[in-house]
C-alpha cells in the first residue's frame, strides 16, 4: 500500500497471460478524481477503451467530463460535456484522437449496440463507456475498466479500481499505460 497525499493506492500485480493489472485508489476527493481522469486521458490513443462501472451518482460522467474537457482545453476549446444518457452517444471527432462517450444505461439488448455503430468505434476512436454490461466479452477483455464506489470512510470521497488489460482493441500493448499512471501517483504525492 502506497500513500498518495492523504490517500492510499494499492498496486496489484497480476502475472499470467492476458490477465489485467489492477490499481486501487482510496478516498479520492472530487478534485483528485478529476486530476486522475485528466492524466489517464493524456495516455489514451485510438483503439483504447475505458469501461465505467459503479452505482448511479458515483461520478462516472464526472470522470469522463474531466478527461474530455482536458483534451478540448489542450486544443484551445471549451465545451460543456454532458452525459449522453438520452442520445446514447456523444462524439468528439474534432480531437486529434476522436472520443466516443457512450452511456448504455437505457439499452436492454446487445443487438441495439449495432445501431449506434459502437463496434467500429472501438477500432477508430477512444471509447468511454458507462454501463458496459451489454458489451461482448471480446471487447471487455481488451478495455481498461474503471470501477468507482463511494468511500466507506467518507461518502463525499470515492474509491477507484483501475484494471488494465495486456492489449487494446487494435491489438496494441498497454505497455506503458499502467506504469505512467503509477509514476503520476508516485510523483504527485
Amino acid at each position: 500500500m502506497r500513500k498518495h497525499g492523504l490517500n492510499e493506492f494499492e498496486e496489484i500485480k497480476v502475472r499470467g497471460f492476458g490477465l489485467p493489472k489492477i490499481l486501487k485508489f482510496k478516498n479520492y476527493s472530487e478534485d483528485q478524481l478529476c486530476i486522475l481522469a485528466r492524466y489517464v486521458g493524456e495516455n489514451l490513443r485510438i483503439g483504447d477503451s475505458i469501461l465505467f462501472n459503479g452505482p448511479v451518482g458515483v461520478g462516472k460522467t464526472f470522470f469522463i467530463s474531466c478527461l474530455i474537457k482536458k483534451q478540448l482545453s489542450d486544443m484551445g476549446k471549451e465545451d460543456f460535456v454532458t452525459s449522453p444518457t438520452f442520445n446514447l452517444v456523444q462524439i468528439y471527432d474534432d480531437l486529434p484522437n476522436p472520443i466516443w462517450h457512450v452511456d448504455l444505461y437505457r439499452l436492454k439488448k446487445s443487438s441495439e449496440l449495432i445501431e449506434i455503430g459502437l463496434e467500429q468505434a472501438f477500432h477508430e476512436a477512444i471509447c468511454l463507456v458507462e454501463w458496459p454490461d451489454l458489451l461482448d466479452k471480446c471487447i471487455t477483455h481488451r478495455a481498461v475498466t474503471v470501477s468507482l464506489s463511494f468511500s466507506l470512510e467518507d461518502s463525499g470521497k470515492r474509491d477507484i479500481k483501475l484494471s488494465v488489460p495486456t492489449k487494446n482493441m487494435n491489438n496494441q500493448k498497454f505497455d506503458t499505460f499502467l506504469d505512467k499512471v503509477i509514476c503520476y501517483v508516485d510523483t504527485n504525492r
Side-chain angles (χ1 to χ4, degrees):
M1 189 73 71
R2 298 184 196 183
K3 284 288 193 182
H4 172 60
L6 299 175
N7 304 293
E8 300 175 348
F9 83 95
E10 179 180 356
E11 177 184 359
I12 302 171
K13 293 184 179 179
V14 182
R15 303 222 186 271
F17 179 76
L19 295 176
K21 295 181 182 177
I22 299 170
L23 287 178
K24 291 184 178 182
F25 302 87
K26 300 282 186 192
N27 298 318
Y28 263 47
S29 69
E30 193 173 89
D31 288 342
Q32 291 166 317
L33 184 63
C34 196
I35 290 167
L36 178 64
R38 290 189 301 238
Y39 186 78
V40 166
E42 290 174 5
N43 291 287
L44 295 174
R45 57 190 168 202
I46 290 175
D48 292 346
S49 300
I50 303 180
L51 311 179
F52 291 85
N53 295 304
V56 172
V58 77
K60 296 179 294 293
T61 300
F62 177 77
F63 190 104
I64 292 169
S65 175
C66 290
L67 187 155
I68 293 172
K69 283 180 182 178
K70 171 71 168 107
Q71 301 285 319
L72 291 168
S73 173
D74 288 349
M75 292 183 57
K77 297 181 177 186
E78 288 198 32
D79 200 354
F80 189 67
V81 179
T82 60
S83 174
T85 300
F86 295 104
N87 57 345
L88 303 179
V89 179
Q90 179 68 39
I91 301 171
Y92 300 88
D93 54 5
D94 54 344
L95 295 170
N97 292 315
I99 295 177
W100 279 46
H101 178 189
V102 183
D103 187 328
L104 303 178
Y105 183 75
R106 294 186 316 121
L107 295 185
K108 303 294 181 225
K109 297 182 240 173
S110 58
S111 60
E112 296 173 288
L113 296 171
I114 296 167
E115 295 173 26
I116 61 175
L118 190 55
E119 188 173 331
Q120 187 174 348
F122 281 116
H123 298 282
E124 298 176 356
I126 295 166
C127 293
L128 309 174
V129 182
E130 297 182 58
W131 305 100
D133 300 341
L134 292 176
L135 296 178
D136 189 273
K137 294 280 187 238
C138 71
I139 294 170
T140 60
H141 286 192
R142 290 184 177 253
V144 172
T145 301
V146 173
S147 299
L148 297 163
S149 60
F150 295 100
S151 172
L152 296 177
E153 297 173 28
D154 182 344
S155 62
K157 294 188 176 183
R158 303 297 181 260
D159 293 341
I160 307 130
K161 183 171 93 172
L162 183 72
S163 302
V164 181
T166 56
K167 294 184 179 180
N168 74 7
M169 288 303 293
N170 290 335
N171 215 30
Q172 298 169 330
K173 290 184 178 180
F174 277 112
D175 49 358
T176 60
F177 180 85
L178 195 63
D179 292 335
K180 287 179 181 178
V181 172
I182 292 170
C183 182
Y184 159 77
V185 172
D186 281 345
T187 58
N188 289 286
R189 297 191 237 189

